[in-house]
Amino acid sequence: AEGSLDELSVPAVARRSGVSLATIYRYFPTKDQLLAAAADEPSRQALTAVPEPRPGDDDFATFQRAMWTSFASNLPLLRHQVTSEAGRDMRQARLARSRVQLAVYVAARGVDPKSAEGERLIALLLLVNGSLALVELHDRQGLDVDDALSTSLWAADVLIRASQSTATTKNTRRKRTLP
């Protein structure tokens, strides 16, 4: 979180972390692999922090709460991810996995993730629930992390319900036109 991610060097990471350069390279042979691991860390922390779901729990909200709590513990890193090319690469590295997770979630809520409606829903969920949303709601709009999370989850719920309603309407129309 110190300095720019674009200026980050493996020797600087070794110095700052107090380990030898050889140790860093043993686990992360390239700077790109080191950055990819850093990009995965908030998700890893969130997944280990997520309690076993209880009946009636919304797994998306539970995961989102754990993820944003993890992000909030390192807001300077999030800010760097917003402003640097390396940060964009880190967010890009998480994108495919996030899309897959959201596809499973929206399918379980009755929206076909491969439909145009499902693809739009996933795109908007990525927008309102991603790390950039936390930075926007916290830094620019002045919400504390809990209020930002509540706002984000509210938006996700509204989008999902609207998509469910659209899917139900389309299915009803299709059934009426079948002979």
Side-chain angles (χ1 to χ4, degrees), residues 35-46:
L35 289 174
D40 284 341
E41 186 60 15
S43 297
R44 189 195 65 73
Q45 287 178 4

Side-chain angles (χ1 to χ4, degrees), residues 51 56 59 65 68 79 83 88 101 104 123 130-131 140 149 152:
D59 53 341
R65 186 168 288 103
W68 278 27
R79 292 179 188 113
T83 60
R88 284 186 292 278
Q101 290 169 333
V104 169
S131 57
R140 286 195 29 186
L149 176 63
S152 172

